[in-house]
C-alpha cells in the first residue's frame, strides 16, 4: 500500500508538470511540477517585499497540493525503498522516480521469510519486504526460512536468484 501511494503521488506530480529541467547528475531532462517552478521563480523578483509576497503565495499553494497528495515530496532514500519494493515487477515505462536507466536497481539482497512449492514442484518464496518470487526453471533448490537471497537482473528482462551463495536459478516476480 505504501508504494502504491507513492506511485500515485509521483504520477500526479509528473502529470502536473510544466517546463523541463535537467537532472544535475545525468544531464537528462527531469519533469518538475509547475507549482514548484513558480516558487523557484520567486527568487528572481527584485523587490524584497514583492519577492516575499511571491514566496508566501506559492508556498501556500505548494503546501496545499502536498497535503492533498497532488504532489508528493520524497527524500531520495524513500524513492530508493520504493524502487527496491517494485524490483522485478513489469511496469509501464514511466519515469516516476525521475531517473534514467543508469539509476535503476540491478539487484537486491534480502532474507527468505517463507517458501512453498507449487503443484509442479517449483519454489515460490517470499523475501523480508513481502515480495514473492517464483522459480521458472527446473533446477532443484533447497531452501529454508532465514536463508540469504540475492536476486539480480539478467538478460532479456529475466532475473536470477542465488540462495545462500549457491548456484543461481531463474525466477520471476509474482504480484502480491
Amino acid at each position: 500500500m505504501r508504494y502504491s501511494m507513492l506511485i500515485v503521488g509521483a504520477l500526479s506530480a509528473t502529470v502536473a508538470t510544466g517546463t523541463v529541467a535537467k537532472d544535475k547528475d545525468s544531464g537528462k531532462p527531469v519533469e518538475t511540477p509547475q507549482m514548484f517552478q513558480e516558487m523557484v521563480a520567486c527568487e528572481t523578483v527584485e523587490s524584497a517585499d514583492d519577492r516575499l509576497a511571491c514566496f508566501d503565495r506559492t508556498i501556500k499553494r505548494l503546501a496545499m497540493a502536498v497535503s492533498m497528495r497532488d504532489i508528493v515530496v520524497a527524500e531520495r532514500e524513500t524513492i530508493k525503498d520504493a524502487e527496491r519494493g517494485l524490483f522485478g515487477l513489469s511496469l509501464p515505462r514511466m519515469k516516476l522516480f525521475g531517473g534514467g536507466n543508469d539509476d535503476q536497481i540491478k539487484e537486491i539482497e534480502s532474507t527468505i521469510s517463507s517458501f512453498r512449492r507449487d503443484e509442479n514442484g517449483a519454489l515460490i518464496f517470499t523475501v523480508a519486504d513481502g515480495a514473492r518470487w517464483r522459480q521458472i526453471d527446473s533446477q532443484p533448490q533447497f531452501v529454508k526460512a532465514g536463508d540469504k537471497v540475492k536476486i539480480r537482473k539478467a538478460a532479456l528482462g529475466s532475473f536470477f536468484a542465488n540462495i545462500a551463495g549457491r548456484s543461481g536459478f531463474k525466477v520471476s516476480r509474482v504480484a502480491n
Side-chain angles (χ1 to χ4, degrees), residues 81-96:
D81 286 346
E83 289 173 337
R84 279 189 288 276
L86 296 170
F87 181 77
L89 291 176
S90 295
L91 298 172
R93 288 214 177 272
M94 291 185 277
K95 291 185 179 181
L96 289 179

Side-chain angles (χ1 to χ4, degrees), residues 3-155:
Y3 299 122
S4 62
M5 296 274 288
L6 182 63
I7 291 171
V8 170
L11 183 58
S12 298
T14 301
V15 170
T17 59
T19 61
V20 176
K22 294 272 186 181
D23 179 88
K24 70 178 178 84
D25 296 327
S26 67
K28 296 177 184 175
V30 174
E31 297 175 351
T32 306
Q34 182 67 35
M35 274 189 254
F36 182 78
Q37 292 175 26
E38 290 170 9
M39 185 183 70
V40 170
C42 290
E43 185 178 37
T44 63
V45 175
E46 292 206 19
S47 161
D49 289 341
D50 292 341
R51 186 171 49 254
L52 179 58
C54 181
F55 276 121
D56 285 347
R57 181 177 58 253
T58 57
I59 195 69
K60 285 178 184 172
R61 287 183 43 228
L62 187 59
M64 178 62 78
V66 169
S67 71
M68 300 293 290
R69 295 190 179 262
D70 291 334
I71 293 177
V72 174
V73 178
E75 294 176 337
R76 184 179 303 263
E77 191 55 38
T78 302
I79 293 169
K80 285 294 182 191
D81 286 346
E83 289 173 337
R84 279 189 288 276
L86 296 170
F87 181 77
L89 291 176
S90 295
L91 298 172
R93 288 214 177 272
M94 291 185 277
K95 291 185 179 181
L96 289 179
F97 303 114
N101 289 340
D102 298 340
D103 298 339
Q104 288 183 347
I105 294 175
K106 294 176 178 51
E107 69 178 34
I108 60 167
E109 293 185 31
S110 191
T111 304
I112 294 178
S113 58
S114 65
F115 67 94
R116 67 179 179 84
R117 303 269 176 195
D118 70 8
E119 60 279 354
N120 299 317
L123 176 65
I124 299 172
F125 61 93
T126 303
V127 295
D129 70 356
R132 287 188 307 155
W133 294 83
R134 174 187 301 273
Q135 177 184 5
I136 57 173
D137 65 18
S138 58
Q139 294 183 25
Q141 297 300 320
F142 304 98
V143 63
K144 64 182 184 303
D147 278 349
K148 299 288 184 198
V149 62
K150 180 189 244 182
I151 302 169
R152 68 184 185 284
K153 286 186 179 183

Side-chain angles (χ1 to χ4, degrees), residues 152-163:
R152 68 184 185 284
K153 286 186 179 183
L156 303 172
S158 62
F159 294 87
F160 250 73
N162 295 84
I163 296 176

